[in-house]
Amino acid sequence: MKYNEMAKKLINDSIKNEELIDCLNSNQINVIGMAVLKIIERKYCDESIVGALKKIASLLSGWKAVGPYQIGHLAAAALFLVRDQAALDCFSRIYDNLKEIDKYLIDNFIEQCEKTV
């Protein structure tokens, strides 16, 4: 799927859950960010999503999403917020090895997401 098509489907909320993995594998930060937010919103998770989010969660610098948040913070938070056991296990392994500032940002993002649901 091409960048413009992915972005349009994400914005219009017409993207299928199965297509979200293509978005996570995009090289466009805005597509990745919108896909992560869509995954959180839908609480959609499968093995490929967990793997992709795990990979993205390592991007804690140089991949600014919004404000102080890097795309990796959003991906790590998504692993927690989808409430899937495999994703939660992955989140715990990642979270335990983070710097305190990264933990703070992830915790804050999770808290804000939970307030809006």
Side-chain angles (χ1 to χ4, degrees), residues 11-38:
I11 291 167
N12 295 331
D13 198 25
S14 63
I15 195 151
K16 296 176 184 171
N17 285 345
E18 300 77 28
E19 295 173 314
L20 289 169
I21 191 68
D22 294 332
C23 298
L24 293 179
N25 291 322
S26 171
N27 61 356
Q28 299 294 321
I29 189 75
N30 59 336
V31 168
I32 297 169
M34 286 189 294
V36 170
L37 294 174
K38 192 62 62 183

Side-chain angles (χ1 to χ4, degrees), residues 66-112:
V66 63
Y69 300 103
Q70 301 290 326
I71 196 68
H73 297 123
L74 275 61
L79 288 165
F80 179 85
L81 290 164
V82 295
R83 305 286 196 239
D84 173 83
Q85 190 57 55
L88 288 169
D89 292 344
C90 185
F91 171 82
S92 293
R93 287 190 299 275
I94 291 168
Y95 190 85
D96 289 344
N97 294 306
L98 293 176
K99 295 177 186 174
E100 289 305 312
I101 185 64
D102 294 317
K103 288 180 180 180
Y104 170 80
L105 290 168
I106 291 167
D107 290 344
N108 190 53
F109 186 78
I110 289 169
E111 182 181 326
Q112 295 307 312

